[in-house]
Amino acid sequence: MYAELNGLRMFYEDRSSSDPTGVIVFLHGFPLDHSIWRHQLDYFSTSYRCIAPDLRGFGASSELKKPAEPTPLTVDTFAADIVALLEHLHIKSANFVGLSMGGYIALAIWRRLATRKLVRRLIFSNTRAAGDTPETKANRKRQAELVKTQGTRPYADEMLPRLLAPENIERCGNEVRHMIERTHPDTIVATLEALAARKDMTDWLRRVQVKTLVIAGEKDVISPPSDSELIAREVDSGKLVVIPNAGHLTPLEQPDAFNEAMYAFLR
Ligand code: MLT
């Protein structure tokens, strides 16, 4: 389905049982799209209304305008799009699950007083609250240059072994590569800049007043379990689950364990 909002045509999946217990909004990571949640959509749409958008510029949502508008693109831009989508769908309260960048966006929605009431519960998957280190910023700059000059394929080559645990590359690699390679280079470059510019949100964690689940992948090298431990420690009612044999894309790599943890938390 598509919604026209904030100057873009946003694609989203909206799947539901006939009598849903509540709403879950699934926010994908970078540089991916809503299909990273396909196992969760199958599982949770039997009892919840599940909304899974493609963020601005990603998947089937419209490409970024040139130059990127609004300029610069920020995590708050993505958050504002999600809030507009929920307004469009007349949804007043939802559980938010965010994978990595999706977690930054969920926290940004919580951070804004005006949109805080939307958030019923939070699930942070494979994410972190800290901003980029100087090394990460420099690496993003190098990656942006790589994508600008050589396109998305070498970027996908570089990212795949970082996104997935070694044992899951054969099973999940092709679909993740497809998501990365079909993302417009301009979207990747603008988002790398947005991620490098984001602020440290650790202080905000203490102000989170909704029940929160934190899920980590045991073998995540991008947001290692220590990042999730910090979130669970800082958030008052934070609960941590570390999933074995998973890298950065835990919902795709170990869907059964992920779904069980999420189900037990939401129940
Ligand atoms: C993601 O999966 O969304 C990215 O790893 C986020 C990031 O690079 O900070």
Side-chain angles (χ1 to χ4, degrees):
M1 293 177 129
Y2 287 91
E4 303 284 338
L5 50 91
N6 293 356
L8 89 141
R9 187 161 188 259
M10 180 176 252
F11 174 84
Y12 63 99
E13 281 236 30
D14 185 352
R15 285 168 57 180
S16 186
S17 67
S18 52
D19 185 18
T21 318
V23 178
I24 309 175
V25 178
F26 292 87
L27 302 173
H28 66 77
F30 169 77
L32 308 166
D33 63 49
H34 80 280
S35 65
I36 197 76
W37 298 112
R38 64 187 175 86
H39 298 289
Q40 288 66 42
L41 294 175
D42 288 345
Y43 184 89
F44 286 98
S45 60
T46 58
S47 46
Y48 285 84
R49 182 174 181 191
C50 296
I51 310 288
D54 282 342
L55 297 170
R56 176 181 289 259
F58 292 88
S61 288
S62 50
E63 289 177 7
L64 297 181
K65 297 202 179 82
K66 278 184 159 183
E69 257 179 42
T71 309
L73 183 72
T74 65
V75 169
D76 282 324
T77 316
F78 293 126
D81 293 340
I82 299 303
V83 170
L85 177 65
L86 298 187
E87 263 166 28
H88 171 83
L89 297 173
H90 305 288
I91 291 172
K92 304 226 169 334
S93 162
N95 303 289
F96 286 79
V97 49
L99 171 74
S100 197
M101 177 174 77
Y104 312 158
I105 298 167
L107 192 57
I109 294 172
W110 165 262
R111 222 178 65 231
R112 288 162 28 143
L113 258 186
T115 53
R116 188 165 294 174
K117 59 182 186 317
L118 277 172
V119 183
R120 193 170 154 71
R121 290 188 185 205
L122 284 167
I123 301 164
F124 292 119
S125 164
N126 305 76
T127 193
R128 61 182 177 275
D132 276 6
T133 60
E135 293 73 32
T136 311
K137 280 187 210 272
N139 192 42
R140 292 202 201 273
K141 220 169 166 179
R142 180 193 58 77
Q143 289 177 327
E145 218 34 58
L146 175 74
V147 173
K148 271 186 214 163
T149 53
Q150 296 179 45
T152 53
R153 179 162 292 184
Y155 180 63
D157 290 341
E158 176 177 323
M159 287 309 290
L160 272 182
R162 292 182 52 72
L163 289 166
L164 296 166
E167 60 268 44
N168 300 326
I169 290 186
E170 202 180 318
R171 182 167 45 89
C172 307
N174 281 347
E175 76 183 286
V176 176
R177 172 180 287 284
H178 178 68
M179 279 184 246
I180 300 174
E181 288 191 3
R182 82 173 192 150
T183 305
H184 197 289
D186 290 347
T187 300
I188 295 188
V189 170
T191 310
L192 283 166
E193 285 165 7
L195 292 174
R198 78 190 197 287
K199 304 255 180 310
D200 188 327
M201 289 299 152
T202 310
D203 281 351
W204 279 93
L205 294 174
R206 287 187 209 116
R207 299 183 222 178
V208 171
Q209 287 148 9
V210 292
K211 290 220 168 89
T212 300
L213 173 67
V214 189
I215 302 179
E218 177 198 26
K219 298 185 179 169
D220 188 342
V221 293
I222 296 180
S223 301
S226 54
D227 288 340
S228 295
E229 278 162 24
L230 185 139
I231 300 177
R233 203 168 51 239
E234 293 293 314
V235 172
D236 194 27
S237 62
K239 180 180 172 337
L240 173 69
V241 176
V242 181
I243 298 195
N245 302 318
H248 190 57
L249 305 184
T250 304
L252 181 72
E253 292 176 76
Q254 296 302 338
D256 293 345
F258 189 96
N259 293 349
E260 270 166 38
M262 198 171 139
Y263 180 79
F265 169 73
L266 289 175
R267 194 173 42 181

